[in-house]
DNA sequence: GTTTATACTGTAAATATATACAGTATTGGG
DNA sequence: CCCAATACTGTATATATTTACAGTATAAAC
């Protein structure tokens, strides 16, 4: 029961620290924090750390380099996949009408270090077909997906259209969305948001190819 | 399996480091090591660390405070407390003249469920260049490599030629080996085994793409 | 409408830390 | 016996890191 909740930025900082410990093996310095977040002053990081300490989610050991530790309080605010301990579900074929992460869609769970990916993945989705071939995403690849309803132009998205789940490159102009394949053999899908419902299930943040077919 | 076993003292040092990480939350400094063991010189600790690194049980990140991490090799000599799966080393640029898995080439280690791949990987190799683009292997991808000197025609191999490490498709006819790119912009490499030495470092068994560039 | 907290830039300095160099002593192996 | 590896002392220094001080700007809180 924390008195004050973390701000969005503070949460980002906390998650970075947690990831750094999990993947690199020790906590980051102020300067490393600054570099990652683009701060031009190490004091920006320092202030954030003070705030996080004030709110009880981290401890700072004075005078010790990298003297940051997470407290018990920090756990709840961290996303569930923050450590390598929580497995990534592999979603195979998505049954019509069911949420992507519904039990029936989950084939298996794999333990994958989330820090492997530049963006935190929430699940793996088996890609079907070769519509994204020229982006290096092949049939059978596992797409690491970050769950979010927001997408920017040019990003690879997992979208749901008429209960079909598809992986395409996202492009939006006003209320017109194009789902672009990366393969000349396929046609772009055009959606008018006024007449058709389009749900962005998440962003593609990486690929795992379980085998190289020879 | 280690060539040279740790000395008793080295084992003590290793266990202290491991305990420190587990209980304090980050690795110790040379001075903290010295204080604990009663060394009057930080160089005593430094030497021990070098020895441990030499024997492959820890990694030292140059210039970073507390930049110590345990490697997969350290596990057998540690008490069974924190048993995690053995991590996959990520090999970045391979320095000329050094074995692929030499300490200096290992950028990081990731815990990745080996069952994710159809064939058991031994390490990840960062792919440079786009010579395998049409096989869906892009610049920056991490190739999961199974260490073996045997290759069959058509397999994706990690080969070493003139101290250069390269990823290509393997084709052999008698004493003539072709290393085939999968990109028309690149030329096949032909090697006559009677005149040139070619070492097969391993087989590509999968891909991890840490980010989708948009 | 003046605080208060957040979110930073910019500079500077104390000090923590890594690490080189020069030694000493001991041990076990060839 | 001599060499190489181990296990340290002692000193020094470059640099990594923490951390203080002085600001600016913005949004929410009172």
């Amino acid at each position: 029961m924390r008195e004050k909740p973390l701000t969005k930025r503070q949460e980002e900082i906390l998650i970075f620290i947690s990831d750094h410990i999990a993947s690199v093996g020790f906590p980051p310095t102020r300067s490393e924090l600054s570099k990652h977040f683009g701060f031009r002053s190490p004091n920006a990081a320092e202030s954030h750390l003070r705030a996080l300490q004030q709110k009880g989610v981290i401890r700072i050991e004075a005078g010790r380099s990298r003297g940051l530790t997470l407290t018990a309080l920090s756990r709840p605010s961290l996303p569930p996949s923050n450590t390598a301990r929580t497995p990534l579900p592999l979603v195979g074929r998505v049954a019509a009408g069911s949420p992507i992460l519904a039990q029936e869609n989950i084939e298996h769970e794999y333990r994958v270090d989330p820090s492997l990916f530049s963006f935190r993945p929430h699940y793996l989705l088996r890609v079907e077909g070769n519509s994204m071939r020229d982006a290096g995403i092949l049939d059978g690849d596992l797409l690491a997906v970050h769950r979010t309803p927001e997408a920017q132009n040019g990003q690879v998205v997992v979208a749901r259209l008429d209960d079909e789940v598809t992986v395409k490159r996202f492009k939006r102009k006003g209320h017109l969305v194009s789902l672009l394949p990366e393969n000349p053999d396929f046609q772009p899908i055009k959606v008018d948001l006024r007449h058709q419902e389009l749900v962005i299930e998440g962003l593609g943040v990486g690929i795992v190819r379980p085998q190289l077919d020879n």
Side-chain angles (χ1 to χ4, degrees), chain A:
Chain A
M1 273 303 183
R2 201 175 306 121
E3 319 214 347
K4 283 191 128 189
L6 301 186
T7 66
K8 196 177 175 183
R9 196 59 160 164
Q10 287 168 353
E11 194 123 349
E12 285 174 34
I13 309 269
L14 179 62
I15 287 173
F16 175 72
I17 295 170
S18 170
D19 280 358
H20 197 281
I21 293 172
S23 62
V24 180
F26 40 82
T29 65
R30 275 71 166 167
S31 135
E32 285 163 355
L33 269 160
S34 299
K35 191 176 169 198
H36 181 265
F37 286 101
F39 306 152
R40 301 202 196 170
S41 166
N43 191 42
E46 176 75 23
S47 310
H48 277 300
L49 294 178
R50 295 286 172 84
L52 289 174
Q53 186 184 35
Q54 212 59 41
K55 293 184 175 176
V57 292
I58 68 169
R59 221 167 319 112
I60 302 177
E61 304 200 22
R64 301 180 86 178
S65 70
R66 303 179 189 277
L68 310 177
T69 41
L70 303 180
T71 66
L73 273 180
S74 70
R75 290 274 149 228
S77 53
L78 291 177
S81 60
N82 99 77
T83 61
R85 285 178 199 114
T86 44
L88 276 188
L90 167 60
V91 174
R93 187 171 270 285
V94 177
S98 70
I100 283 216
L101 287 173
Q103 270 312 315
E104 65 200 84
N105 299 326
I106 296 179
E107 280 185 13
H108 196 59
E109 294 197 325
Y110 291 105
R111 293 190 179 180
V112 177
D113 196 330
S115 69
L116 249 183
F117 301 100
S118 57
F119 226 83
R120 168 180 303 273
H122 293 122
Y123 59 91
L124 299 171
L125 177 69
R126 191 185 301 282
V127 174
E128 294 188 0
N130 274 305
S131 68
M132 296 298 283
R133 187 195 64 195
D134 294 347
I137 303 176
L138 310 182
D139 186 51
D141 282 3
L142 311 182
L143 183 74
V145 183
H146 180 86
R147 225 180 167 187
T148 169
E150 319 270 318
Q152 304 294 313
N153 281 346
Q155 291 183 320
V156 171
V157 299
V158 176
R160 183 190 291 261
L161 192 67
D162 298 332
D163 249 326
E164 281 282 321
V165 170
T166 184
V167 176
K168 293 286 183 299
R169 203 172 284 283
F170 180 84
K171 194 167 185 183
R172 175 176 179 173
K173 272 185 187 169
H175 41 255
L176 235 83
V177 169
S178 300
L179 298 176
L180 305 170
E182 292 257 359
N183 183 335
D185 300 345
F186 289 77
Q187 295 302 316
I189 300 174
K190 305 214 170 190
V191 182
D192 187 329
L193 296 177
R194 290 169 301 186
H195 305 124
Q196 232 180 331
E197 199 190 11
L198 178 77
V199 178
I200 301 299
E201 295 276 359
L203 298 177
V205 297
I207 288 288
V208 175
R209 185 171 304 146
Q211 66 202 60
L212 303 185
D213 303 304
N214 297 311

